[in-house]
Amino acid sequence: VSTVLMNIFAMGVSIDIDPEHYGWVLFETSCVAVFIGEAVFKITTYGMRHYLFGPAGFWNAMDAIVTFLSILDVGVSIWSLASGPMTESKLAGLGRVIVMLRTSRVVRIVRLAKLLHAPLLRDLANMLVGFAIGVPALIWVLALFCFVLYVVALIFRLVLGPGTGQDLIFGQGCGWPDEST
């Protein structure tokens, strides 16, 4: 869970802060290594059949696809860093591949959807569903509150406000905001 969150956070930060720095590739490589280790652990523990066709088979297959795309992305990033200066034609071909793989990074957010099935986050998911169900009632409560506040403001304005012909905001009562007293 923490690796997924750190990886998504680092993806967002690396877009704005020195995106070509080799440190991002190292961090990405370590995250991909954790994802590969997780897949290998699940396959050796449960077996390939249970991994792909068991109760969590759909999520495991999605995870495997995302991990494979991440491996390709890291491989191309490492190759582009290691190859040094590039010719124009080599750069154009590599640029198309990098853009395609960078776009596929968005698919990694699918890992967050998988987290909602984790037991630790089940309460959070229930709370979010409850909030979504309660939004219409919340809007009505907000409307009722605004109406009551408006009525109370009118009552205070009529009872405590300035009398007829008396203007306490501008003029003799309080003065102008930029006048010194």
Side-chain angles (χ1 to χ4, degrees):
V1 173
S2 61
T3 306
V4 172
L5 294 176
M6 285 189 316
N7 184 244
I8 289 175
F9 178 74
M11 245 182 358
V13 171
S14 70
I15 291 171
D16 293 328
I17 300 175
D18 198 12
E20 301 301 322
H21 194 270
Y22 69 90
W24 296 119
V25 176
L26 290 175
F27 183 78
E28 187 73 29
T29 304
S30 63
C31 288
V32 168
V34 170
F35 298 148
I36 291 171
E38 176 191 12
V40 168
F41 175 76
K42 285 181 179 179
I43 290 171
T44 55
T45 302
Y46 302 117
M48 183 63 87
R49 176 167 291 183
H50 189 272
Y51 179 75
L52 291 176
F53 303 110
F58 173 76
W59 293 109
N60 289 335
M62 290 298 295
D63 212 20
I65 291 169
V66 170
T67 302
F68 178 73
L69 289 174
S70 300
I71 292 169
L72 288 177
D73 183 26
V74 166
V76 168
S77 297
I78 291 172
W79 181 75
S80 68
L81 282 175
S83 63
M86 301 197 178
T87 64
E88 190 173 319
S89 62
K90 187 177 173 185
L91 188 62
L94 180 63
R96 281 187 241 118
V97 172
I98 288 176
V99 166
M100 181 196 67
L101 289 174
R102 296 287 179 194
T103 306
S104 70
R105 286 179 143 200
V106 176
V107 177
R108 292 185 202 173
I109 296 174
V110 170
R111 289 182 189 267
L112 285 180
K114 179 184 170 188
L115 294 179
L116 291 178
H117 294 284
L120 295 175
L121 296 177
R122 194 165 307 269
D123 290 337
L124 176 63
N126 289 337
M127 185 177 72
L128 290 174
V129 168
F131 179 74
I133 291 171
V135 166
L138 181 65
I139 290 172
W140 281 112
V141 167
L142 182 63
L144 180 64
F145 175 73
C146 288
F147 177 73
V148 169
L149 185 65
Y150 180 72
V151 169
V152 169
L154 283 178
I155 292 170
F156 279 144
R157 173 77 168 126
L158 292 173
V159 173
L160 302 174
T164 307
Q166 184 183 17
D167 191 3
L168 292 180
I169 295 177
F170 301 109
Q172 298 135 2
C174 294
W176 295 95
D178 58 349
E179 288 180 358
S180 60
T181 55

